[in-house]
Amino acid sequence: MKLPPRGTPRILMVATLVNTFGNGAYLTTSALFLTRSVGLTPAQVAVGLMIAAVAGMALTTPMGYLVDRRGPRGVQVAALVALAGAFAAMTTVKTLWSFALLACVIAVGDATVKAANGAMIAGAVPAQERVRTRAFVRSTNNLGIALGTLAGSIPLALDSRSGYLAVLLLNTVTFLGAALIVSRADRVAPATPPPSGPRIVALRDKPFVAFAMVDGLVAALYNELLSLALPLWLVAYTHGPVTLVSAALLVNTIGCVTLQVWASRGTHTAADATGVTRRGALVVAASCVLFGLTSGGSPWLVGVLVLMGAAVHVLGELWLSSATFAVVFDLAPDWAQGQYQGVHQTGRQIGNMAAPPLLTALVIGWGAPGWAGLAAIFAAAGFLSPHIIRWCLRRKYALAA
């Protein structure tokens, strides 16, 4: 597999690997750190995260606008440094409100980094190479999280405050390291908007907002399917061991790291993405059917079906993510890449709030029919999304005429 050319694409890959390694370690330990070391209740943690989610949804698009006006490299470096400060300050958290404040900084900073990252790719890479470059960055992202998760298992096993603080300081260092690496990338000049008309145009682009909302929910559902719905299902409705969750996640990680670039082949524009998004959604729907068939099965049958479902699931996920990259890059005007990336991130944030209760209600509340309902949601999205993408393209062509 040929890597992207030297320069900004490879720099972003290295920065992503460093950054997500620390993030993976923190995500592994954060729940126990906040409850067992800080002393917050699970309900307080949920409240803090909810406040952070609202802050992220409110500020992500304005931060995307800032990415365009100030240039993505400088904004991304500033956001990474701010995140390093937030994680360093997390070592002093003692109350819900101090946690909520830092969680807001982290939510907004993380979304800003992602928006700036996309804008840097758009500004530094030819249009026909953007999706492929973004696929490499996503592969690196998954590799970094996987390695960080392994590293975080050590302090998790020790279950001591000193171990948790070490993870927070590690994450602080990785953010600073990522900021230093990104600062070495080529500068992407701030975008110059048209002399007249509104400045924040992404929120006025109704077809794109509709795409961001649908895509955000679909992505949140397939991201949480293996880590949330499957373990709850295995415990409540099957005779299979819970360790199958680790096996399914391993299949997913290997697939995302090794096959994302392959899955992006031939997908360069929003027009290319219409068939790819339908295929990906229907394939994820098929994985839901396989998971639902495990109800009441013998342990060996459950194991076979879970592994088959995980393999099918990751293929659908890879096609869906490739289609998303193409749509967001292609629909955004060159002077508004940051704000379009920001609106798309807002859709993801809304999806992340909606997905856990929806998955729990379907899979745990309904049992096997719940998996069929989930498959129906993915199938409906697979047929709806191409129509939304074509709507987006009609608007784009009309504005260009």
Side-chain angles (χ1 to χ4, degrees), residues 57-380:
M57 287 185 288
L59 296 177
T60 295
T61 299
M63 293 305 292
Y65 176 81
L66 183 66
V67 166
D68 293 321
R69 298 290 76 80
R70 297 297 183 182
R73 187 186 67 178
V75 174
Q76 185 169 1
V77 169
L80 288 166
V81 172
L83 285 164
F87 279 103
M90 193 74 79
T91 61
T92 66
V93 164
K94 294 181 180 179
T95 66
L96 165 62
W97 301 114
S98 60
F99 165 63
L101 176 62
L102 291 174
C104 288
V105 174
I106 291 169
V108 175
D110 182 63
T112 302
V113 168
K114 291 176 180 176
N117 204 290
M120 283 189 73
I121 293 173
V125 178
Q128 66 272 18
E129 289 295 321
R130 289 173 181 172
V131 173
R132 183 172 182 272
T133 301
R134 183 66 183 83
F136 270 108
V137 172
R138 186 173 192 261
S139 294
T140 309
N141 178 87
N142 282 281
L143 177 60
I145 290 177
L147 294 175
T149 299
L150 290 175
S153 64
I154 299 173
L156 192 66
L158 295 175
D159 191 20
S160 66
R161 180 169 177 80
S162 59
Y164 296 136
L165 295 182
V167 171
L168 286 169
L169 294 176
L170 168 67
N171 207 15
T172 299
V173 170
T174 60
F175 272 108
L176 291 175
L180 180 62
I181 294 167
V182 170
S183 70
R184 297 173 62 86
D186 296 333
R187 179 177 179 269
V188 175
T192 302
S196 61
R199 291 295 182 261
I200 300 184
V201 294
L203 288 175
R204 296 170 180 262
D205 188 340
K206 294 180 181 179
F208 183 78
V209 171
F211 172 79
M213 296 301 105
V214 173
D215 186 70
L217 178 60
V218 169
L221 288 173
Y222 70 62
N223 281 330
E224 296 283 349
L225 197 150
L226 298 183
S227 60
L228 176 64
L230 184 61
L232 294 176
W233 167 259
L234 289 174
V235 170
Y237 288 96
T238 79
H239 302 297
V242 181
T243 52
L244 284 172
V245 175
S246 297
L249 290 172
L250 180 62
V251 169
N252 184 268
T253 299
I254 293 172
C256 287
V257 171
T258 62
L259 298 177
Q260 181 66 73
V261 177
W262 165 81
S264 70
R265 290 179 180 175
T267 308
H268 305 293
T269 67
D272 299 331
T274 54
V276 179
T277 193
R278 179 187 296 113
R279 181 201 315 156
L282 292 177
V283 169
V284 176
S287 74
C288 295
V289 173
L290 289 171
F291 291 134
L293 292 175
T294 60
S295 178
S298 62
W300 71 266
L301 179 60
V302 172
V304 169
L305 289 173
V306 165
L307 293 178
M308 288 176 59
V312 172
H313 170 277
V314 75
L315 285 176
E317 174 183 340
L318 295 175
W319 280 319
L320 282 168
S321 58
S322 297
T324 297
F325 303 155
V327 171
V328 179
F329 280 133
D330 191 31
L331 294 180
D334 288 339
W335 58 271
Q337 285 284 342
Q339 59 177 284
Y340 269 74
Q341 296 280 346
V343 169
H344 182 254
Q345 287 299 318
T346 301
R348 286 288 174 94
Q349 292 162 336
I350 294 173
N352 289 339
M353 292 183 64
L358 180 58
L359 285 170
T360 303
L362 285 173
V363 174
I364 300 304
W366 289 9
W371 283 108
L374 191 55
I377 291 174
F378 282 113

